[in-house]
Amino acid sequence: HGTHVSGIIAAQRDNNIGINGIADNVQIMMIRAVPDGDEYDKDIALAIMYAVDNGAKVINMSFGKSFSPEKKWVDEAGKYAEDHDVLLVRAAGNESNNIASVDEFPNPDCIFSNETASNVITVGAYGDPKVNDGKLIAYFSNYGKNSVNVFAPGVKIYSTIPHGYTYED
C-alpha cells in the first residue's frame, strides 16, 4: 500500500514508463507504523513524532480503526505535529460508515481537550458513478458531511508496486 501511495505522489515523471507522480522533487520518508494486523496507538504516536523530528512536512496516514484505547497518545503526537506546522492527511476509512456518527481513528477530535486539530485533512474515496449504482462516493469509503474534508479518486488507481505497476482500490 505504501509503495502504491508513494508512486501516486512521486513516481518519476520523465521516464515514459508506468505513471507520472503528481509532483516533482518529492522526498519520501518511509516509516512503517502499522505492522501486519492492527496498528497500536503507541506506534502511531511515535511514528508521527519521529517524522516531525526528521523533517516531514506532510504525513500520510492511510490507515484506520474503530477503537483507540490510548487515543491521548495519538492526540498528543498530532498536537506536536501541529506545533511544528506538519500536515496530517488521514484516510476517512473503508467501512462505508458515516464517521460523523461512527468512530474512526485516528481522528482530529482531541477527546481530552475538546479541541479539533487544525492540521488534519480527512480524505474519502470517490469512484465511478457509472459502475457504483449512480453513487459518486466509492462503495467502500466512509463519509460524513462535516467529517470528511475532501474526496479523491479511490477506485482502480494505477500506480507503483514493488517491481512494477498495478491497479488498486
Side-chain angles (χ1 to χ4, degrees):
H1 179 78
T3 303
H4 201 259
V5 172
S6 296
I8 293 166
I9 298 166
Q12 186 173 340
R13 298 172 66 135
D14 61 358
N15 65 3
N16 295 317
I17 60 170
I19 67 162
N20 292 328
I22 61 169
D24 289 321
N25 303 315
V26 174
Q27 293 181 340
I28 302 287
M29 180 188 311
M30 297 181 298
I31 299 172
R32 185 170 180 177
V34 179
D36 293 332
D38 195 14
E39 62 269 8
Y40 298 102
D41 292 333
K42 177 186 81 169
D43 296 332
I44 300 305
L46 290 173
I48 291 169
M49 291 187 294
Y50 178 89
V52 171
D53 287 345
N54 286 280
K57 300 297 180 201
V58 177
I59 299 175
N60 172 46
M61 298 172 45
S62 57
F63 50 81
K65 59 185 180 174
S66 60
F67 181 68
S68 183
E70 301 296 342
K71 183 170 182 349
K72 181 179 180 186
W73 296 345
V74 179
D75 288 350
E76 289 170 351
K79 178 68 172 147
Y80 184 74
E82 183 177 34
D83 291 345
H84 289 83
D85 297 319
V86 175
L87 178 65
L88 305 178
V89 181
R90 72 178 276 263
N94 298 329
E95 295 78 30
S96 302
N97 289 330
N98 179 350
I99 59 173
S101 58
V102 174
D103 286 331
E104 179 73 20
F105 300 101
N107 63 43
D109 301 321
C110 301
I111 61 173
F112 295 102
S113 66
N114 293 321
E115 297 177 3
T116 299
S118 66
N119 63 323
V120 178
I121 295 176
T122 301
V123 182
Y126 73 76
D128 185 346
K130 294 177 189 167
V131 296
N132 194 30
D133 295 326
K135 298 175 186 169
L136 185 58
I137 297 174
Y139 64 93
F140 56 85
S141 183
N142 288 347
Y143 56 93
K145 183 176 180 183
N146 296 315
S147 303
V148 178
N149 301 105
V150 64
F151 284 83
V155 177
K156 303 218 181 326
I157 304 301
Y158 191 66
S159 186
T160 52
I161 57 171
H163 311 296
Y165 302 88
T166 193
Y167 289 92
E168 289 187 4
D169 289 352

